[in-house]
Amino acid sequence: MDKKEQFYKNLKKKLREDTTFPTKYLFKFIVPAKEDLILQVENIFDYTGAVITKTSSKTGKYVSLSVLVVMEKADNIVAKYKEAEKVEGIISL
């Protein structure tokens, strides 16, 4: 099992132990300040009722995205992180 798989397995376990679903979950990402990359992240949460807050870094090279959304179960949270992984240069916090 690689590090990413282990991370997701641990995350899922922790969420199941500590969280009552459905729950409001806050995703945090940092992406290079390119409109197409920001749009890719926003599209992951399309039609979910997510509230997305964007903040530019001091230098303007990066944008942090905070995504507050109601999630039904731990598997859905992990699935969103895996989807976000595909965005070039993204950092999940």
Side-chain angles (χ1 to χ4, degrees):
M1 188 180 296
D2 70 6
K3 278 185 177 180
K4 268 188 187 157
E5 283 180 51
Q6 189 62 49
F7 169 78
Y8 287 128
K9 186 179 175 186
N10 292 343
L11 175 63
K12 200 183 291 188
K13 182 176 185 247
K14 187 164 176 35
L15 286 166
R16 285 186 176 144
E17 288 171 359
D18 302 343
T19 310
T20 305
F21 288 95
T23 188
K24 282 186 178 179
Y25 188 81
L26 183 64
F27 291 88
K28 288 189 166 222
F29 304 106
I30 296 174
V31 293
K34 294 180 184 168
E35 196 56 45
D36 60 324
L37 298 178
I38 295 166
L39 204 55
Q40 284 179 44
V41 175
E42 290 176 339
N43 287 341
I44 292 169
F45 295 94
D46 247 5
Y47 309 110
T48 61
V51 177
I52 301 175
T53 310
K54 293 180 267 190
T55 310
S56 292
S57 66
K58 282 183 192 169
T59 60
K61 290 181 182 177
Y62 297 94
V63 172
S64 88
L65 292 123
S66 297
V67 183
L68 186 63
V69 62
V70 174
M71 299 303 288
E72 295 297 322
K73 57 186 184 178
D75 291 338
N76 297 3
I77 293 172
V78 170
K80 290 294 184 195
Y81 276 121
K82 286 183 175 180
E83 215 177 319
E85 249 178 42
K86 297 173 185 155
V87 177
E88 183 186 331
I90 195 166
I91 299 168
S92 299
L93 303 175

